[in-house]
Amino acid sequence: MTDGATRPADDWWRSAVVYQVYPRSFADADGDGTGDVNGIRARLPYLADLGVDALWISPWYPSPLLDGGYDVSDYRDINPEFGTLSDADALIAEAHALGIRILIDLVPNHCSWEHPWFKAALKATPGSPERDLFWFRDGKDGHAPTNWPAAFGGSAWQQIDDGQWYLHLFDISQPDWNWDNPLVVEEFDSILRFWFDRGIDGFRIDVADSMAKDPSLPDVPLKDGEPTREKYVGNPFYDQPGVHTIHQRWRAIADEYAGTPQGPRVFVAEAWLSPAERLAQYVRSNELHSAFNFDVLRCAWDAKELREVIDHTTESLWAVGAPATWVLSNHDTIRHRTRYGRDQREALEGAGVVPTDLELGRRRARAAALLELALPGGAYIYQGDELGLPEVEDLPEEVLDDPTWERSGHTVRGRDGCRVPIPWSGSEPPYGFGTGEGQPWLPQPADWAPLTAEAEAGDPNSHLNLYKAALRVRRDQDALGEGRMTWDADVPAAVLSFTRDPGFRCIVNLGEQPVALPESAEILLASEPVIDGTLPGDATVWLKI
Ligand code: TEU
């Protein structure tokens, strides 16, 4: 491969800043209203200039897009709406030439009901080998085989014409694979190799904690009269011991690539598991390399709570030799500018129901970015975080696309508000997202002109320029990235202050009162202006000490 510019070290992923691309919403080169692979290619110079180490591209496979592509009908091709395999090859080569690694999304828990193996299973008879690739069962007394709830609402079982039911932990269009069947195991080995051989640097593993099920299919307990979705220890479809066997197998495959110029390939686990000790089981040295830490994402903007979460995370992960991996937003959550602009007890509530101060959210999002990028380990940036995009909370009901909306009987709007296409330039929709022929698949707000990449590039105080500066400093400072941190003593209750060797300090003021900075410290970067040596509220500063 031609990746002379990528970092040679095999452990690049321990401190990498990874930018999440949600391909449908990133950039639309062919102007049909949907983002595509050539759109990503066209924006590679922007991403290189931003200074990220790698991209994680959410699913780009052929899919009916009933769950935004997390419903895969062919794991070895590109969705024609997004482009072709040769576009993907070109993207991988061009990214590598710029020093940017590529991670893609593996969705191993379930496929799409349009996957040929599931179609064959539907046509086959109960008890057939085709059905054994999935979880087909007879019902119990005319009901579903278990009381398991689906993530998007309703039962996790769907009945078909011959009376049998199939399991779908997510949407009805996403049948769960039966990982006890060796053909499924072998198929995914082959899919990993297919993409590794094409030059992919690694995979993000979707719901990495759910592939293995308790085959005795026990019911889950009720909570408030409803079957719980909580991931209690012993839950029959989450965090079952069998998932670790799968991850160990994949790790061995990734390690086979150790002799290649790119080095061994890597995995990041998506598993919403708390406490961090549970998550740490997934990143032991013979399993996945890293795992998103969602505890900080779910944490309030509160110094005491954040410190506890940071300590708990680092202690648990370091105990197994893994780096921490920090995340503030992704395509499943309310964008953090919006979350931080709310009463923190209601930060994660649904769209449009909680009063939000977006200016407060903007300040805190900037402060949080400098906190995230100063913590030990790797960090993820969700597309548009670097522009300070807020959640779009007033999408018209008729455009809502997340299966949550239908499955909840139109009570939960779902995740579309963080998936609105990126504004690149210009003063009105589609803001350079596409050519203007096809309307963006989700409408963009009329007031996003100041938030385009172009507008922000020209504003020294913009979110974009803060991110760029932070990533530049991060590269220059040996203290940043992987390593250790020490909390500083004697700081006010609303302040987080920590030191990293050599000679770096990060101070986050989560309170309202300004705090005095140590004299003689050189300011490397600040999220708000530092006046008379004091750091204002809801702001972060990086110091050289
Ligand atoms: O998400 C897994 C997951 O746990 C989410 O369903 C989460 O609980 C929910 O989004 C919170 O609102 C992954 C993907 O990131 C998500 O986009 C997919 O819908 C899901 O898996 C199914 O593949």
Side-chain angles (χ1 to χ4, degrees):
M1 54 175 285
T2 55
D3 67 332
T6 48
R7 293 184 182 181
D10 283 354
D11 60 355
W12 62 274
W13 50 274
R14 289 185 158 268
S15 54
V17 175
V18 185
Y19 184 97
Q20 181 188 354
V21 171
Y22 193 73
R24 212 178 173 187
S25 304
F26 186 63
D28 169 22
D30 65 9
D32 64 355
T34 294
D36 43 43
V37 177
N38 286 336
I40 307 173
R41 288 173 65 194
R43 299 293 173 181
L44 284 173
Y46 167 87
L47 295 164
D49 187 43
L50 178 59
V52 298
D53 301 302
L55 307 185
W56 148 35
I57 302 174
S58 279
W60 57 4
Y61 312 104
S63 162
L65 297 179
L66 295 176
D67 181 23
Y70 285 90
D71 47 328
V72 179
S73 49
D74 179 353
Y75 289 85
R76 293 185 187 79
D77 205 346
I78 299 290
N79 188 333
E81 281 192 60
F82 297 165
T84 64
L85 268 181
S86 53
D87 297 338
D89 290 339
L91 169 69
I92 296 165
E94 289 162 9
H96 284 162
L98 289 168
I100 297 176
R101 307 244 180 194
I102 301 281
L103 310 178
I104 60 173
D105 219 309
L106 187 71
V107 190
N109 180 67
H110 45 265
C111 59
S112 160
W113 60 13
E114 289 192 7
H115 192 287
W117 290 13
F118 186 71
K119 288 202 212 162
L122 286 179
K123 285 207 193 101
T125 49
S128 60
E130 288 86 351
R131 290 229 170 148
D132 191 55
L133 296 167
F134 300 91
W135 288 89
F136 280 90
R137 289 291 183 278
D138 295 329
K140 254 189 347 208
D141 314 323
H143 298 290
T146 71
N147 68 350
W148 299 358
F152 302 138
S155 166
W157 296 91
Q158 176 66 25
Q159 195 169 25
I160 61 168
D161 288 347
D162 65 16
Q164 277 213 311
W165 303 69
Y166 69 86
L167 176 68
H168 60 89
L169 289 183
F170 289 87
D171 188 47
I172 168 182
S173 68
Q174 292 168 301
D176 280 50
W177 290 109
N178 172 16
W179 275 88
D180 294 334
N181 186 315
L183 288 179
V184 172
V185 178
E186 284 161 24
E187 174 67 355
F188 276 86
D189 288 356
S190 151
I191 292 164
L192 290 182
R193 290 198 170 92
F194 175 87
W195 288 104
F196 286 154
D197 291 342
R198 288 199 108 86
I200 287 295
D201 297 277
F203 284 96
R204 174 256 193 198
I205 308 294
D206 190 58
V207 275
D209 55 344
S210 69
M211 288 92 81
K213 275 85 183 178
D214 177 346
S216 71
L217 303 184
D219 276 351
V220 293
L222 302 184
K223 205 182 166 196
D224 303 327
E226 296 292 329
T228 184
R229 285 197 56 231
E230 277 172 21
K231 298 187 173 183
Y232 59 90
V233 174
N235 180 304
F237 49 88
Y238 278 124
D239 200 25
Q240 285 280 313
V243 294
H244 296 290
T245 316
I246 301 168
H247 295 321
Q248 286 160 13
R249 186 180 180 97
W250 291 349
R251 177 62 177 257
I253 294 175
D255 285 348
E256 287 171 14
Y257 290 79
T260 62
Q262 243 167 304
R265 310 307 157 86
V266 301
F267 299 107
V268 54
E270 188 238 14
W272 292 77
L273 274 181
S274 291
E277 286 83 359
R278 271 175 106 185
L279 194 57
Q281 299 302 302
Y282 289 73
V283 290
R284 290 174 292 184
S285 60
N286 62 343
E287 296 206 14
L288 305 180
H289 298 72
S290 61
F292 299 122
N293 176 270
F294 292 123
D295 290 340
V296 165
L297 186 155
R298 281 186 285 209
C299 188
W301 185 246
D302 176 274
K304 183 165 171 282
E305 287 178 37
L306 274 170
R307 178 170 169 162
E308 278 167 13
V309 167
I310 291 166
D311 279 343
H312 199 153
T313 302
T314 50
E315 279 158 22
S316 313
L317 296 175
W318 291 346
V320 295
T325 300
W326 310 101
V327 186
L328 295 173
S329 284
N330 64 28
H331 65 292
D332 291 331
T333 55
I334 297 168
R335 282 190 180 273
H336 60 273
R337 174 166 175 195
T338 297
R339 291 198 323 264
Y340 289 146
R342 294 176 165 178
D343 180 327
Q344 290 299 284
R345 286 162 303 189
E346 301 177 302
L348 290 164
E349 301 293 320
V353 296
V354 185
T356 305
D357 175 350
L358 282 182
E359 181 48 30
L360 179 66
R362 188 193 67 85
R363 282 179 75 97
R364 289 179 174 174
R366 290 167 65 86
L370 293 196
L371 168 63
E372 179 193 24
L373 294 170
L375 288 172
Y380 279 75
I381 298 172
Y382 175 48
Q383 64 179 37
D385 282 358
E386 81 281 18
L387 302 174
L389 295 187
E391 183 81 0
V392 179
E393 300 204 273
D394 58 355
L395 286 169
E397 288 179 359
E398 59 277 13
V399 306
L400 294 180
D401 187 73
D402 186 343
T404 306
W405 175 240
E406 286 303 325
R407 296 282 298 171
S408 70
H410 295 186
T411 55
V412 184
R413 291 170 65 94
R415 302 160 294 178
D416 294 313
C418 63
R419 300 174 178 179
V420 170
I422 295 297
W424 290 99
S425 58
S427 55
E428 56 188 41
Y431 301 111
F433 167 70
T435 59
E437 287 155 59
Q439 287 306 307
W441 72 279
L442 285 174
Q444 298 158 304
D447 61 356
W448 269 13
L451 295 174
T452 66
E454 180 187 56
E456 293 205 19
D459 171 3
N461 298 317
S462 68
H463 235 85
L464 178 60
N465 280 318
L466 179 73
Y467 265 90
K468 263 197 207 172
L471 294 181
R472 206 179 316 116
V473 174
R474 189 178 154 108
R475 274 176 191 258
D476 290 348
Q477 295 291 321
D478 291 340
L480 293 180
E482 176 65 339
R484 293 291 184 264
M485 63 189 282
T486 312
W487 295 108
D488 301 316
D490 301 325
V491 298
V495 170
L496 292 175
S497 178
F498 58 92
T499 299
R500 302 197 55 189
D501 289 334
F504 176 91
R505 180 167 294 165
C506 175
I507 305 178
V508 191
N509 182 3
L510 295 99
E512 286 171 9
Q513 296 307 316
V515 293
L517 296 179
E519 278 166 33
S520 82
E522 176 199 337
I523 296 177
L524 293 168
L525 193 61
S527 67
E528 300 295 331
V530 170
I531 297 163
D532 296 334
T534 62
L535 180 67
D538 292 317
T540 299
V541 67
W542 286 0
L543 301 175
K544 181 97 210 140
I545 53 166

